[in-house]
Amino acid sequence: MPSTVVTTTTTIGVELLATPRNNTASRYVTLKSTPKKVADPTDDHFFWSYTEEPHRTRRQSIIKAHPEVTKLCGPEPLTKYVVVAVVTLQIACAYLLKDTAIISWPFLLTAYIIGATANQNLFLAIHEISHNLAFKSPTANRLIAVFANLPIGIPYSAAFRPYHLTHHKSLGVDGLDTDLPTSLEALFLDSVLGKAFFCTFQILFYAIRPMLIYKLPITRIHLFNMAVQLAFDYLLIYYLGGRALAYLIMSSFLAGSLHPCAGHFIAEHYLFDKPSLPFRTEDKDSPALAAPVPETFSYYGPLNLLTYNVGLHNEHHDFPAIPWTRLPALHEIAKEFYQDLPHHKSWVWVIWQFVWDKEVGLWCRVKRKEGGRKVGFGEGWREEELGANEREGAKIPGVK
């Protein structure tokens, strides 16, 4: 897709690069002169930032301009009913396919069209629940996450939560944000075939990478998640046979592979219109730092109906305590903060461009060396940053 590049040069020698791809103006800042070499980041092609992540500042600005948005925070009762419906659908499909050959069109098409879509929905239900947005009670949220995990076939809901909350608390922080690709991944997959491989097997990268970056302490909820999942898998094989479990596992794999809904994994934080030079400077007082590279991108298309509005990703990172049903209301209330941000119009096009565009790849992520911390290591977290409050009975903003 062609794009028009408009540049303006300021008197201080900083070049402002506005690239209106997807008919939206994105504003990037890069040094016009050759950037100084820094010793901290390794010699790679990531975009290193020395500013804090943008969401806290924008959240504060939105609350100042529209204090009523805090009333949108708090659990969404509809979530638990959607979870039960989708879990029931997947178990029903597994039952209906228990005598169907795995290598057959009915099995494969059902797994791709229904199963992958349903399990992607459950992935994102667990994402939503990780912010305590299904129930007021933290314990109830942990339990329904384990229940939503059942058709996925592999226990992961308990481990996902601390990694994901750390992603919010430490967005882009090297060594903490496990959503970031490693230099090794970016180096070896820096080709059309490599990126196609990554998109095909990205569910495995997202499952394995966090454990290689840092390990979580095993807690009772982790053990409970594993015990319940293994018991469910055993009963499924015992009563319905191995093909029923194979359907669920295949659905999970396809949900994170070359599937339209899987485009959100790439669309959320990869740079598609990037600065012409990597952002590197030792001068932390540089005026260029006043306009950091955007690092979160929203999608406003129809697939949000199937994915808990995860496409409204800037809105979600700004206010993780607002549930999926109220994110469109947040967007409308604070529209002046969102309407000019770069965004995607198609997740399918995101995957296609990511694979074929030589200027886009795993290097196209913003990283920072400082800030953030691990969540779930005894330090606790604040509800205005990450979601509804962790402490039993504590006040949740917007909930009486």
Side-chain angles (χ1 to χ4, degrees):
M1 179 178 292
S3 60
T4 304
V5 178
V6 179
T7 62
T8 60
T9 306
T10 69
T11 56
I12 55 175
V14 177
E15 184 179 64
L16 302 179
L17 182 65
T19 308
R21 180 171 289 186
N22 295 335
N23 297 320
T24 59
S26 55
R27 192 169 179 83
Y28 299 125
V29 175
T30 180
L31 297 184
K32 187 178 181 180
S33 59
T34 303
K36 300 177 182 178
K37 184 177 179 181
V38 295
D40 218 4
T42 57
D43 187 17
D44 56 38
H45 303 290
F46 292 113
F47 296 91
W48 290 91
S49 172
Y50 296 94
T51 64
E52 70 170 358
E53 55 87 11
H55 300 287
R56 186 180 73 90
T57 301
R58 186 162 58 233
R59 176 169 58 249
Q60 292 173 338
S61 298
I62 291 174
I63 291 175
K64 183 177 180 180
H66 304 284
E68 68 272 21
V69 298
T70 59
K71 297 179 181 179
L72 299 174
C73 298
E76 170 52 66
L78 180 61
T79 299
K80 57 182 175 290
Y81 300 113
V82 176
V83 168
V84 170
V86 177
V87 169
T88 302
L89 171 65
Q90 279 295 77
I91 294 175
C93 287
Y95 172 79
L96 294 172
L97 292 172
K98 64 185 178 66
D99 298 320
T100 304
I102 294 175
I103 307 301
S104 66
W105 285 115
F107 194 100
L108 296 175
L109 287 176
T110 303
Y112 186 82
I113 297 171
I114 298 177
T117 305
N119 276 13
Q120 183 67 252
N121 179 275
L122 291 172
F123 288 153
L124 294 168
I126 292 171
H127 164 265
E128 185 79 5
I129 295 164
S130 72
H131 293 284
N132 284 349
L133 292 176
F135 295 96
K136 295 181 183 180
S137 163
T139 301
N141 281 287
R142 302 294 80 74
L143 293 177
I144 196 171
V146 171
F147 176 74
N149 197 152
L150 294 179
I152 293 170
I154 298 171
Y156 104 104
S157 66
F160 170 80
R161 184 169 186 265
Y163 281 126
H164 178 68
L165 297 183
T166 299
H167 163 67
H168 275 266
K169 182 65 178 174
S170 310
L171 183 65
V173 178
D174 194 34
L176 289 180
D177 184 357
T178 58
D179 188 68
L180 292 166
T182 63
S183 297
L184 193 64
E185 292 172 67
L187 178 65
F188 282 96
L189 301 176
D190 191 18
S191 66
V192 170
L193 287 178
K195 291 184 290 182
F197 179 86
F198 175 78
C199 290
T200 303
F201 297 96
Q202 62 179 314
I203 193 68
L204 301 181
F205 285 89
Y206 282 104
I208 297 172
R209 183 196 301 140
M211 296 182 290
L212 299 179
I213 294 178
Y214 67 86
K215 291 181 173 58
L216 294 171
I218 301 299
T219 65
R220 286 179 296 177
I221 190 61
H222 290 85
L223 297 174
F224 179 74
N225 185 198
M226 289 186 282
V228 170
Q229 189 65 53
L230 292 174
F232 174 81
D233 292 350
Y234 172 80
L235 292 173
L236 195 70
I237 294 174
Y238 184 83
Y239 287 106
L240 300 183
R243 291 174 181 173
L245 181 59
Y247 164 76
L248 297 181
I249 298 293
M250 184 178 292
S251 296
S252 295
F253 171 76
L254 293 173
S257 184
L258 297 175
H259 188 277
C261 291
H264 83 87
F265 290 118
I266 297 170
E268 290 165 359
H269 297 292
Y270 280 88
L271 301 178
F272 280 72
D273 292 312
K274 60 184 182 178
S276 57
L277 292 173
F279 191 87
R280 297 170 182 267
T281 175
E282 289 179 324
D283 181 8
K284 295 186 180 182
D285 296 321
S286 168
L289 298 178
V293 177
E295 51 194 288
T296 304
F297 304 88
S298 289
Y299 156 80
Y300 299 111
L303 291 180
N304 281 315
L305 295 172
L306 302 173
T307 55
Y308 285 88
N309 280 327
V310 73
L312 281 72
H313 215 64
N314 265 305
E315 293 83 347
H316 169 65
H317 268 267
D318 289 350
F319 290 90
I322 294 180
W324 61 285
T325 53
R326 301 173 208 152
L327 287 175
L330 168 64
H331 179 88
E332 288 302 315
I333 292 171
K335 199 163 188 175
E336 70 273 22
F337 288 90
Y338 296 116
Q339 60 186 359
D340 292 328
L341 294 178
H343 62 272
H344 296 286
K345 293 186 176 180
S346 167
W347 281 340
V348 174
W349 173 249
V350 162
I351 296 174
W352 179 269
Q353 185 182 1
F354 181 82
V355 172
W356 289 103
D357 191 336
K358 294 181 180 180
E359 298 299 317
V360 178
L362 277 78
W363 292 115
C364 296
R365 290 292 298 266
V366 175
K367 284 192 175 186
R368 49 181 53 84
K369 278 290 181 182
E370 300 174 352
R373 58 179 169 79
K374 295 177 185 176
V375 175
F377 285 75
E379 294 185 37
W381 49 280
R382 293 184 291 277
E383 61 185 355
E384 69 273 14
E385 296 173 328
L386 299 174
N389 200 290
E390 177 74 5
R391 294 179 290 114
E392 183 78 47
K395 181 181 178 183
I396 300 171
V399 178
K400 301 296 182 182

